[in-house]
Every structure is written in structure tokens, then in C-alpha cells.
Amino acid sequence: MLKLIGAAIILSSCGAGGLKIAHVYQERTRVLRFLQNGLNLLETEINYISTPLPLALRRVSEKLTQTPRILFGKAADILQKEEGVTTKEAWERGIAELNHRVPLTREEIGILSVFGCGLGISSKEDQLKNISLAREQLRMAEKAADEAREKNQRIWQYMGFGLGAAVVLILL
Amino acid sequence: MAKIILNLNRNQGQREKESLTKDGKILPAWFLTLPVHLRSLVEKGIGIEMDGIEEIRLRIGRPLVFRSREAELTIDPAGWPTAELSQGVVITRADLDRTLQNLSQGSLYAWEDEFKNGFLTLPGGHRVGLVGRGVLDKGSLKTLKDISGLNFRIGHEVLGCADEVMPYLFRGRQVLHTLIISPPQCGKTTLLRDMVRQFSDGMRTLRFNGVNVGLVDERSEIAGMYLGEPQFAIGLRTDVLDACPKALGMMMLIRSMSPAVIATDEIGKMEDIEALTQVLQAGVSVVTTVHGDCYEDICKRPVLRDLLDWQFFERIVVLSRREGAGTLEAILDGKTRERVKKIC
């Protein structure tokens, strides 16, 4: 009986681990897609309303319902509440917060960081170019992440349980 | 001869409105735009209330300067105020960049028009003038870059400063076309703002109930609009067209907001005069200002001379600095050019 319980625990833990990794692949694709939506909203705020960044980022965060709202919301919080913080620093801390929730690749973090370097410090025309570039890079990253998801998601969904079953068999 | 000096001391209400609370301390918005080390020097040397200070100037490589009505002073690196400007704390590029970052909330793109016009408005209605290198596009100024100097002009709101002149600006219930003549920094915008407020809110003592006032605030000085909110008391029935050219704004207000009074600052261009004649035809009263030392000075300027010859204005209020800012020199009848208020 005890062995049976132990086997069930091992099987379910390994299975859950596999499902979690598979979920990360799926979530990353979604995050990259919604980040592009966020940039679209930011573009509207900058282009048509010329909203200053603290308020623009806050509005984007309120309009987004998915995970990337963390990035915009955190940066807006810092800009509105903390003194002497540059936009770049606030954006970097937003990226760190997002990365804590959804593991992003170094390349994806790089895209967001480079975008943050130019955020707010130039003319509207330059800002729109910066947004457009970041959006295009995120679109390509999303495509790559989607391919990785297709390749790995199903594998990890089964591999967790498979690994669990193998461990159980060895132990038995 | 002139003995009436309008009370141009700032009122407490404005101080509270312009201020932001930080760690339990009430700090004016302009103060928070300075870099931290300059803030502590200012707080130590002068104090953030800064009564009487009209301008604060930051120029790269030169000392921080405060200008009051009577004098200029600076703060030395130890935080002591001194009139010897060469001993003052020197402003660096980093200081100016940090101030600009704070002023623009890290969003230079949001203030492109303001940079082009050479000034920004802050909460509290204060204005910050900018100088730097002009960027031209097809011969016209696109924006400013390499900003090298800032001038914080501390806005003044003085509720009731127009009390002395208001009784002379009516005929029955009709507001008279009024021109305020004043040299720079003698309180004409402050006076105009309070006149707008009183026309808009009404005056119980004069049994005037208040009317719709249209305010064309081309340089955002009268209402001090910040993100769509007036930073000064401009009255319950006042509609503001902010940062809009005067002539265009006057016509827009007449068509859309049915004002009984239109107020605007510093007329003088030919197009302003054309718009004023249209305002006259619409039966709307005009209250405006012009730079000048006296009535005779205005009569020498071609465009304004025509307006005075047509006897467009029914009241002319003349201010000077003779006995301090806001010295009321005369209130004239625009037709007879005689004094309607005796000033002894």
C-alpha cells in the first residue's frame, strides 16, 4: 500500500513538473503576443494623445488583462512614486518583475531592454520608430517561441509522466 | 501721483493647490523638478516658501540665480544665500538634464510643442522658459535641442487684486471693452486673471451675477492649464482655449461657447485686431492687455493706435511699477480719455 502511495506521489510530481515546463512554453508565446498589444496601446497614447509616460504606461497596464500588464504597471508605479528614477531604470525593473513571473529568454529581455533605453528621451517620431522596431522584433521572437512551443510542449507534457513512471519502475 | 498699489501678494489657496505632499511635507511642484542636491541647498538657503521670489534661473556653467522684485541672489555651495553671484553654486549639464527629465516626466515627446514655443507649464501654473539650440525644418523652428538654460517663473494668483478696478468696468449689466496697459512684470496678467474670475463668478457687492467668459490663453499664463485643469481660480463660468492663437481662439469661442466676455492677453498683431472687430460685431465684451508704459506709448504703435482711434475700448487701465509692481496709475474712459477713477 505504502509503495503504491509513493509511486503515485512520484508519478504526479514528475507529471506536474512536465506540465509546468510545457505551460511555460505556451505562456511565453502568449506574453510575447500581448507585449506587442501593449506596445500598440503605448503607440496610441504617444502618437495621438502625447500622454506623458507615467500616465501612458499606467493606462496601458489598465487596458491589458494578461501577464504583460505587470511590466507596464510596475514601470508606471516606479515613475509615479519614486523620485530621481530614470525611465530606463523604471522599465528595467518592470522587465525584472515580468521575468520573475514568466521566464523570458536572454534575447527577449534584450529586445525589451534596448526598447527601454530609448523610451521617452526623444521626439514623437523617434518614439514611434522605436516602438515599431521593438514590435517587429517581438513578433519574430513570438514566432520563434511558437515554433519551440510546438516542438517541446507535447514532449514535456508526456515526458514528466514518462520520467515519473521510469523512476517508479526502477524503485520497484 | 499714483498711490493705489494692487495687492499682489500670493494667496494661501494657490500655495495649497500647487503643492504635492511628500513624506508628510508640502512641497511645490517646481521645487520637485530640481535635482536632489540643489533642492537641499535651496531649502537650506532660502526655504521652499520663497516669498517674493519671481524667477529662478539655471544656466549651464553659471550660478543658480533667484530674482525677487528688488534684487538678485544666489546660494553658495555651503547653502548660504548671497548677493555675490560669482560665489553661487554652479549649474552643470547633469543638473540641467536631470531637471529636464523631471520637468518632462521622462517624456520629451509629450512636450514637443512646448519646446517649440520655448516654455512648459507646471502644476500650480508656474512656467519654465527654455533656451537652447534651434532645430529648423524647412526654415521654421521644429524644436529646441541642447537646452542650455531654464527660467522658472513663479506664477502669482492674487484673489481680489482687481477689486479696486472692477466697479469701473460696467455700464449697467454690460461689461465694458477694457484694455490693461502695463510694462512687463507689473501684474497685468495677475490683474486680468482676477478680473476674469470676478466676471465669471459675479460680484455680490456690485450686484453682478456673473456671465460666461471665454478665455483665450495662448501662452498658458492666465489659467496655467496643466493636463486640462486650470491651476488658477478663473471662475465658475470660464471656458479656456489653451495654447491657441488669439485671433483663431476668439472666433472659435464666439461660434461655439456663446461667451458674454472674451479675455485674452497681449494683443498687438494685425490678425488680433481683425478678430476683435468681429468680436465687437457679435456683441461680446473684450478684456485684454498690452505691453506699454502709458497711454501715449500705445498711441504710437500703428495697429493699436487704430484701435484707440476707433474708440474700441471703453475703459483703459494703466499699471506701472513706480511704487512697486501693480501700481494703479489710472483708469481712463476710452472715448473721452479722461480719468474715471481719481487716484490721489
Side-chain angles (χ1 to χ4, degrees), chain B residues 133-146:
Chain B
R133 185 179 167 83
V135 179
L136 298 180
D137 182 28
K138 293 172 190 162
S140 58
L141 186 68
K142 189 180 171 192
T143 187
L144 289 177
K145 65 173 186 178
D146 303 335

Side-chain angles (χ1 to χ4, degrees), chain B residues 60-91:
Chain B
I60 291 181
R62 282 160 288 173
L64 176 68
V65 175
F66 299 86
R67 198 182 63 74
S68 69
R69 284 172 202 162
E70 290 84 25
E72 280 187 326
L73 73 151
T74 184
I75 299 173
D76 70 17
W80 297 105
T82 168
E84 195 60 54
L85 297 189
S86 59
Q87 291 176 5
V89 62
V90 173
I91 301 298

Side-chain angles (χ1 to χ4, degrees), chain A residues 50-51 53 83 120 123-124, chain B residues 22 39 106-109 112:
Chain A
S50 291
T51 316
L53 273 177
E83 271 187 68
S123 66
K124 190 182 282 182
Chain B
K22 194 98 190 162
R39 274 188 232 167
S107 319
L108 291 182
Y109 64 84
E112 274 182 359

Side-chain angles (χ1 to χ4, degrees), chain B residues 21-42:
Chain B
T21 306
K22 194 98 190 162
D23 304 330
K25 244 179 170 178
I26 295 174
L27 301 171
W30 64 262
F31 180 76
L32 289 172
T33 64
L34 297 178
V36 175
H37 75 100
L38 286 182
R39 274 188 232 167
S40 37
L41 286 179
V42 170

